């Protein structure tokens, strides 16, 4: 009898996300008998997640089973796939710190989880824990594939590849397919008729092609239509979040000739052009949602209270297919049926105009042999140039982590496009001092500490 896969969730208390992935998995016949091992350090969230998984199993009438663990290594033992989704330090205290301390310097952010001083700090908090998962995987499930859904995605993926190159890993995000759906909606076209090819780094990949299939089977370039729709005020259409009107990305399309895959609220803080002290006109013109991520966290925490209660009392939990790649990857590896996903992997020459060791986001073929990134070649020079400004920050953060050299934390902040556009060198050094002091024990021991002088 064929063996069923064992799928371990580290950070299973991210219940809504876990529910979407498990719902996708259990609807695939080859995976429907899986053992779902749930691990979290929060007993209440773990229990809530187990309730949800068991109700999904009952609703779908499949043979899967759920197990719960508070011990990471035990949860990982014998796993075939390891799904990682957690936030070290949570909304409180760490996200609040990442926003409030920079504000004292006049440095305002929107999301602060990928780049900038917020992204750097999150990387320093997160990577050491990801490394413990790699250690445990090498001990108890060395052949498993890690599906990593944690931000800062590029820093995490780079740091894992650097320290544990033998771990099979891919960083996953839904921005590529999610944005393609948004653009199809903006142009009133069915998403199924769109063809695209995207490449770059996580949250700053670009559609190198974005086309619509014609009745005769040929494809038409949609970039002129997108620019025209923006110029005429027909795009962007209102999205799921009224605070985030998505104008930044359309403006950048008119300047670069290509559309970026991650949202305008993210993109505004990866570049030096949109959030500027004393320029409220820019915030107004492009609808930039300052402090957006804390607002979302508060809304999410509030929403979860009602949702957890609803899940507890529900007899059935209905499942829709999500946009996530996880179940597609598992199905292809398990059955050999090929699929194509967008994944974050060590570049290794896939994009020739970016560093070989950076984390690149490229199309990947998945089959029984695992995840195989595809060759892209050189990106248009203006895209390469902009992406490199973000890679500088990622590289210095990874260097800090690998060498335990605190100096590189300051260097990373100094190279950040948004931070450098707003603050002088003394302010940047002082801000990093304050952030390191405020985060305290959430950081690895080598990174903690009090004040450093600019000359040190």
């Amino acid at each position: 009898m064929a063996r069923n896969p064992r799928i371990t969730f580290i950070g299973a208390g991210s219940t809504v996300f876990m529910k979407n992935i498990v719902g996708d998995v259990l609807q695939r016949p080859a995976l429907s008998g899986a053992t779902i091992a749930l691990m979290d350090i929060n007993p209440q969230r773990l229990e809530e997640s187990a309730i949800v998984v068991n109700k999904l199993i009952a609703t779908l009438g499949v043979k899967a089973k759920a197990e719960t663990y508070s011990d990471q290594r035990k949860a990982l033992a014998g796993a075939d796939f390891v799904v990682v989704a957690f936030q070290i330090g949570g909304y409180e205290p760490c996200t609040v710190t990442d926003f409030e301390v920079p504000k004292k310097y006049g440095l305002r952010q929107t999301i602060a989880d990928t780049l900038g001083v917020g992204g750097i700090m999150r990387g320093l908090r997160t990577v050491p824990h990801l490394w413990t998962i790699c250690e445990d995987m090498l001990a108890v499930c060395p052949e498993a594939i890690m599906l990593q859904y944690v931000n800062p995605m590029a820093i995490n993926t780079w740091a894992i590849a650097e320290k544990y190159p033998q771990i099979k890993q891919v960083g996953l995000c839904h921005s590529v397919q999610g944005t393609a759906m948004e653009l199809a909606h903006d142009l009133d076209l069915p998403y199924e008729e769109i063809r695209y090819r995207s490449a770059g780094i996580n949250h700053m990949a670009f559609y190198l092609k974005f086309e619509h299939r014609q009745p005769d089977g040929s494809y038409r370039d949609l970039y002129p239509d997108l620019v025209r729709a923006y110029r005429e005020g027909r795009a962007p259409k209102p999205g799921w979040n009224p605070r985030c009107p998505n104008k930044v990305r359309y403006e950048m399309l008119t300047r670069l000739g290509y559309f970026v895959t991650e949202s305008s609220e993210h993109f505004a803080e990866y570049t030096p052009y949109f959030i500027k002290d004393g320029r409220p006109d820019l915030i107004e013109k492009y609808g930039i949602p300052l402090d957006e991520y804390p607002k979302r966290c508060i809304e999410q925490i509030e929403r979860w209270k009602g949702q957890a209660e609803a899940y507890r009392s529900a007899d059935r939990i209905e499942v829709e297919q999500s946009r996530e790649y996880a179940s597609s990857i598992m199905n292809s590896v398990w059955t050999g049926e090929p699929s194509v996903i967008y994944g974050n992997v060590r570049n290794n020459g896939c994009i020739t105009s970016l560093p070989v060791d950076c984390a690149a986001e490229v199309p990947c073929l998945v089959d029984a042999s695992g995840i195989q990134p595809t060759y892209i070649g050189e990106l248009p020079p203006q895209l390469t140039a902009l992406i490199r400004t973000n890679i500088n920050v990622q590289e210095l953060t990874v260097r800090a982590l690998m060498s335990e050299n605190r100096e590189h934390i300051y260097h990373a902040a100094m190279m950040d496009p948004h931070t450098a556009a707003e603050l002088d060198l003394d302010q940047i050094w002082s801000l990093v001092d304050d952030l390191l002091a405020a985060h305290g024990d959430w950081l690895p021991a080598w990174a903690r500490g009090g004040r450093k002088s600019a000359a040190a």
Side-chain angles (χ1 to χ4, degrees), residues 377-452:
E378 210 170 298
L379 296 177
Q382 70 275 29
L383 304 186
T384 295
L386 192 61
I387 289 168
R388 277 183 187 153
T389 67
N390 282 219
I391 287 178
N392 291 336
V393 182
Q394 296 160 3
E395 179 168 26
L396 284 159
T397 307
V398 173
R399 289 271 186 277
L401 285 154
M402 288 296 293
S403 62
E404 301 192 354
N405 179 349
R406 287 172 94 246
E407 290 296 314
H408 288 329
I409 304 171
Y410 297 81
H411 298 150
M414 171 187 174
M415 297 301 166
D416 177 63
H418 175 44
T419 306
E422 294 286 277
L423 305 183
D424 67 33
L425 288 168
D426 285 341
Q427 289 174 310
I428 292 169
W429 252 249
S430 181
L431 168 57
V432 172
D433 284 341
D434 288 354
L435 281 165
L436 294 178
H439 279 306
D441 290 352
W442 288 106
L443 297 173
W446 61 267
R448 294 173 206 156
R451 316 215 26 106
K452 290 167 61 70

Side-chain angles (χ1 to χ4, degrees), residues 134-163:
C134 295
E135 284 278 345
D136 286 345
M137 285 176 67
L138 290 177
V140 298
C141 58
E143 293 304 308
I145 297 176
M146 180 195 279
L147 310 179
Q148 194 256 119
Y149 277 97
V150 185
N151 277 322
M153 176 73 64
I155 288 170
N156 295 343
T157 305
W158 192 332
I160 291 169
E162 204 70 21
K163 194 170 172 88

Side-chain angles (χ1 to χ4, degrees), residues 140-284:
V140 298
C141 58
E143 293 304 308
I145 297 176
M146 180 195 279
L147 310 179
Q148 194 256 119
Y149 277 97
V150 185
N151 277 322
M153 176 73 64
I155 288 170
N156 295 343
T157 305
W158 192 332
I160 291 169
E162 204 70 21
K163 194 170 172 88
Y164 294 99
Q166 62 276 59
I167 288 283
K168 298 174 183 173
Q169 60 138 347
V170 62
L172 297 169
C173 177
H174 51 236
S175 61
V176 175
Q177 65 273 41
T179 292
M181 289 172 187
E182 281 180 65
L183 294 181
H185 174 65
D186 282 351
L187 294 176
D188 295 314
L189 293 171
Y191 174 67
E192 298 69 36
E193 295 175 11
I194 301 292
R195 177 174 79 170
Y196 57 83
R197 191 165 192 241
S198 164
I201 58 172
N202 182 240
H203 287 192
M204 202 184 269
F206 291 86
Y207 296 105
L208 304 175
K209 278 187 188 164
F210 198 78
E211 302 169 322
H212 180 220
R213 189 172 68 245
Q214 303 301 292
D216 67 358
S218 65
Y219 282 85
R220 188 171 70 81
D221 178 16
L222 287 174
Y223 271 135
D225 298 38
L226 286 168
V227 172
R228 197 176 312 113
Y230 177 57
R231 298 253 194 247
E232 293 172 3
R234 291 181 285 110
K237 289 184 178 170
W240 66 275
N241 185 343
R243 293 190 298 261
C244 304
N246 205 20
K247 292 178 185 171
V248 166
R249 292 196 287 174
Y250 271 95
E251 185 62 30
M252 289 301 278
L253 164 64
T254 69
R255 311 290 177 153
L256 295 171
Y258 295 88
F259 205 92
V260 75
T261 52
E262 186 46 81
S263 65
S264 286
E265 58 269 25
H266 274 277
F267 201 68
E269 66 181 8
Y270 304 158
T271 55
Y273 314 117
F274 298 98
I275 306 171
K276 290 183 175 292
D277 191 34
R279 292 296 306 276
D281 57 310
L282 291 174
I283 304 298
E284 178 68 30

